[in-house]
Amino acid sequence: MTERARSIPPTLSPATQLCGVVLHPAGHTRSPAMHNAAFRVLGLDAVYLAFDVRPEALGDAIRGARAFGVRQLAVSIPHKIEVMKEVDEVDDTATSIGAVNTVTREGERLIGSNTDWTGAVRALEHQGGAELDGCRACVLGAGGAARSVVFGLRERGAQVTILNRTRSRADELCRSLSAEASGNLDALHEIDYDVLVNTTSVGLGEDVSPVAAAALREDTLVMDAVYDPAETRLLREARSRGARTVAGKWWLVHQAAEQLERWSGQPAPTDVMASAFDVA
Ligand code: ATR
């Protein structure tokens, strides 16, 4: 898709479907760019907007979405847990993860689901060529993003070790999702892993890494949830030590791709969405 084609507004009609993302504070989100680019390529009569919704207004926002017949909402920080109370049904995987990042209208009902975990797994498999069944995975961090990726890795049959700055959170997540082991971030050098995923915010906008370069190994696959900068210090150091790397953007692209597939029933143009992500 050319720059010009991407910048042409969608054609709006009385039948145009509305999708969007709810988040707060507004900040910068690349979701509208990714989804609108995909709508145009697929010829979907739909438009995607960003809605800055304060936490106390979430219930009103979801009731409004229901009344307006909004087709799908992506749900971002800080609403992923609270939104579970506002929908008609939360599917089994989102219930297990304890967070909803997608609300899709199906008939008259709003269904909450989670594509954060599939986004992570698809990025590792499609971009990284990972065979997750039986592999040894190590997840850095124990917050919401870690919960999704640990769930996804366990679902695919990986053995998972969780390392976190605050050890007790790693232990708790390990118990709750039946992972194999947990520890502090500096234990990485003692662990044999095939796949390493950073879900901490370390490296966001700064040239720092959550782990020592000496703990990184060749013949492994390393993915970073941090997508800005595109190549974080962790990924750069992993690459220079002979590891394969997957940039954080692919996690976001694949979770968005699955959202689009869920409501449209069409295969998502992930390359188009990735290009739109780059220029947004
Ligand atoms: P998210 O939902 O995006 O995962 P979160 O729940 O706030 O966000 O979790 C952030 C993660 O980054 C946590 O694992 C946090 O570690 P703690 O549990 O010890 O707070 C980790 N993190 C944030 N800043 C960090 C830092 N400077 N060094 C190491 N870990 C950090």
Side-chain angles (χ1 to χ4, degrees):
M1 194 182 208
T2 64
E3 290 303 308
R4 191 175 133 61
R6 207 180 280 117
S7 66
I8 296 170
T11 307
L12 303 179
S13 82
T16 301
Q17 309 217 54
L18 177 59
C19 297
V21 55
V22 289
L23 74 169
H24 183 78
H28 189 62
T29 167
R30 305 191 199 204
S31 295
M34 286 194 284
H35 286 273
N36 285 318
F39 295 167
R40 265 163 264 160
V41 163
L42 294 175
L44 291 170
D45 184 7
V47 67
Y48 193 107
L49 302 174
F51 301 106
D52 181 2
V53 175
R54 285 172 287 108
E56 62 274 22
L58 182 67
D60 286 344
I62 299 298
R63 279 187 289 282
R66 190 191 290 280
F68 286 133
V70 169
R71 197 70 185 81
Q72 186 180 72
L73 285 176
V75 182
S76 193
I77 291 167
H79 303 306
K80 291 185 183 192
I81 296 171
E82 288 303 310
V83 77
M84 296 173 81
K85 293 195 286 229
E86 307 293 341
V87 295
D88 298 307
E89 183 186 328
V90 175
D91 75 12
D92 289 346
T93 41
T95 301
S96 300
I97 294 169
V100 157
N101 81 325
T102 311
V103 174
T104 307
R105 181 165 58 80
E106 291 179 14
E108 293 304 309
R109 289 165 59 73
L110 296 182
I111 313 294
S113 60
N114 190 304
T115 67
D116 285 330
W117 76 275
T118 33
V121 161
R122 278 164 65 158
L124 288 169
E125 291 173 341
H126 296 204
Q127 261 58 47
E131 295 280 351
L132 296 175
D133 192 10
C135 93
R136 296 161 304 176
C138 181
V139 174
L140 307 177
R147 212 176 152 82
S148 302
V149 74
V150 171
F151 177 88
L153 290 165
R154 298 285 302 128
E155 198 64 17
R156 285 289 198 270
Q159 297 169 30
V160 183
T161 298
I162 302 163
L163 304 182
N164 193 45
R165 175 177 63 179
T166 308
R167 171 78 193 255
S168 57
R169 292 187 80 194
D171 296 344
E172 204 178 309
L173 184 57
C174 181
R175 269 195 304 276
S176 134
L177 292 180
S178 306
E180 268 65 30
S182 50
N184 283 117
L185 291 173
D186 58 11
L188 183 64
H189 70 279
E190 300 162 11
I191 293 167
D192 277 331
Y193 63 88
D194 308 300
V195 170
L196 178 69
V197 181
N198 175 43
T199 71
T200 76
S201 47
V202 180
L204 179 63
E206 278 188 285
D207 195 36
V208 289
S209 169
V211 289
L216 302 171
R217 305 214 183 91
E218 63 180 347
D219 292 330
T220 59
L221 179 66
V222 181
M223 180 165 81
D224 202 334
V226 174
Y227 62 87
D228 185 13
E231 187 176 61
T232 57
R233 180 169 188 152
L234 171 67
L235 294 185
R236 190 176 75 237
E237 290 179 342
R239 186 167 50 81
S240 68
R241 292 185 70 86
R244 288 166 292 127
T245 61
V246 177
K249 95 167 176 186
W250 289 107
W251 185 339
L252 290 172
V253 167
H254 283 290
Q255 66 78 24
E258 182 160 329
Q259 290 175 326
L260 173 64
E261 288 168 3
R262 185 172 179 122
W263 79 261
S264 72
Q266 300 198 44
T270 42
D271 288 346
V272 169
M273 296 172 86
S275 307
F277 181 98
D278 289 337
V279 296

